Amino acid sequence: MKRALVLVVVTLFVIAVAGLVSAAEKARVKQITGEVVTVDAAAKTLTVKGKKAEAVVTTDDKTVVKLGKEKKSLSDVKIGDTVMVKYTEAGGKAVAKSIEIKPAKAAAKAGKKAAEPAKPAEAAKPAPKPAEPAKPAAKPKSGGY
């Protein structure tokens, strides 16, 4: 009888540990860095377009938004900002753990060429005059044959 009880307890323990390991794998933190495409403060979501993919991320009361060491809020995130979002997927939704707004200098440095304004076009120069036809070469005068 004691063996059966010990066997049941051990089995339940193994199932519980396996469930915890499975839950820990599901809560793995992912990261995306890219440009903010949309921000909806009312719905507490933002869309980030990274190099490989685009992610719609939901924020909650535990989400930390920072610009450098300074704490910010979702309303401080603007379209076009470069951000690094760390999130977990739960219930089919990406829930942000942290959002780091990249400083403008770093964003400008990374995309310097894209951020430079286009140079104004120079005024059109008049077309060069066509070259005058060459005059036939003067025939040397010869004294005869």
Side-chain angles (χ1 to χ4, degrees):
M1 187 71 173
K2 287 184 177 181
R3 280 188 169 187
L5 183 61
V6 170
L7 185 61
V8 169
V9 170
V10 169
T11 304
L12 290 175
F13 178 75
V14 170
I15 291 172
V17 170
L20 290 175
V21 170
S22 176
E25 287 177 6
K26 290 180 184 177
R28 190 172 53 190
V29 177
K30 297 182 179 181
Q31 177 178 314
I32 186 168
T33 301
E35 182 179 338
V36 176
V37 180
T38 63
V39 178
D40 187 349
K44 294 185 175 184
T45 62
L46 73 146
T47 305
V48 180
K49 183 176 183 181
K51 290 181 181 179
K52 296 180 182 177
E54 189 171 286
V56 177
V57 183
T58 303
T59 61
D60 59 13
D61 296 333
K62 297 177 184 177
T63 303
V64 177
V65 181
K66 287 188 173 186
L67 174 60
K69 293 183 179 180
E70 188 178 346
K71 278 194 169 186
K72 297 288 184 176
S73 67
L74 184 60
S75 60
D76 294 315
V77 179
K78 305 293 180 213
I79 294 174
D81 283 350
T82 300
V83 295
M84 180 177 64
V85 181
K86 292 184 180 180
Y87 65 95
T88 58
E89 290 184 355
K93 289 174 29 174
V95 180
K97 297 295 176 194
S98 67
I99 301 171
E100 184 181 331
I101 305 168
K102 299 290 183 176
K105 287 181 181 179
K109 202 175 204 181
K112 187 176 181 182
K113 291 184 180 180
E116 288 181 8
K119 294 180 181 178
E122 293 183 24
K125 295 179 182 177
K129 294 181 181 179
E132 293 183 23
K135 295 180 181 179
K139 290 184 183 177
K141 294 184 181 184
S142 61
Y145 284 81

